[in-house]
């Protein structure tokens, strides 16, 4: 059974995760709008502004991040109260994202996003598996 302290810590971890998600969504919107940050995303294949396909990928990332945030929030007993499987799906995507950011050929992506996604993985895991 969860104590009040447990619930509080889970909510703090969830809020930290959601704050990072919000930052990533903002980053993706900037990419969609034409920010010249192509070298720090999507494998660093584009030095500046992403082409249309890259911007579409960024838009898809926004949707995925929203769903991941909702799944983890639901696992913490917060709105939108999605089924528990959505938290596990979010966790799987988070694991894959973390691995991909650690193995990307882009050094700058590894330096920026590998630590960020690793922190997200720790937070999401704590929320999902806290008993």
């Amino acid at each position: 059974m969860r104590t009040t302290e447990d619930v509080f810590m889970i909510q703090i971890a969830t809020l930290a995760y959601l704050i990072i998600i919000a930052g990533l969504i903002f980053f993706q919107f900037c990419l969609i709008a034409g920010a010249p940050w192509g070298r720090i995303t999507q494998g660093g294949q584009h030095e500046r502004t992403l082409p249309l396909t890259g911007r579409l990928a960024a838009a898809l990332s926004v949707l995925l991040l929203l769903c991941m945030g909702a799944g983890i929030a639901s696992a913490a007993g917060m709105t939108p109260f999605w089924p528990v499987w959505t938290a596990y799906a979010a966790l799987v995507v988070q694991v894959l994202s973390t691995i991909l950011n650690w193995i990307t050929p882009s050094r700058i992506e590894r330096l920026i996003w590998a630590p960020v996604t690793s922190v997200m993985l720790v937070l999401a895991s704590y929320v999902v598996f806290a008993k």
Side-chain angles (χ1 to χ4, degrees), residues 95-104:
V95 167
L96 293 173
S97 174
T98 302
I99 291 169
L100 291 173
N101 278 290
W102 278 106
I103 66 170
T104 181

Side-chain angles (χ1 to χ4, degrees), residues 4-81:
T4 305
E5 285 181 17
D6 293 336
V7 171
F8 179 72
M9 291 305 295
I10 291 167
Q11 289 176 340
I12 292 296
T14 303
L15 289 174
Y17 185 82
L18 294 175
I19 288 168
I20 297 170
I21 288 278
L24 292 174
I25 289 172
F26 177 76
F27 175 76
Q28 297 300 326
F29 276 125
C30 289
L31 292 172
I32 293 165
W37 302 332
R39 72 184 207 101
I40 63 171
T41 188
Q42 299 180 14
Q45 298 173 7
H46 305 282
E47 186 62 29
R48 302 208 31 91
T49 302
L50 295 175
L52 179 60
T53 55
R55 292 177 188 203
L56 291 174
L60 182 61
S61 292
V62 168
L63 294 175
L64 186 60
L65 288 164
L66 286 169
C67 289
M68 290 169 64
I72 297 302
S74 294
M78 300 165 82
T79 190
F81 307 110

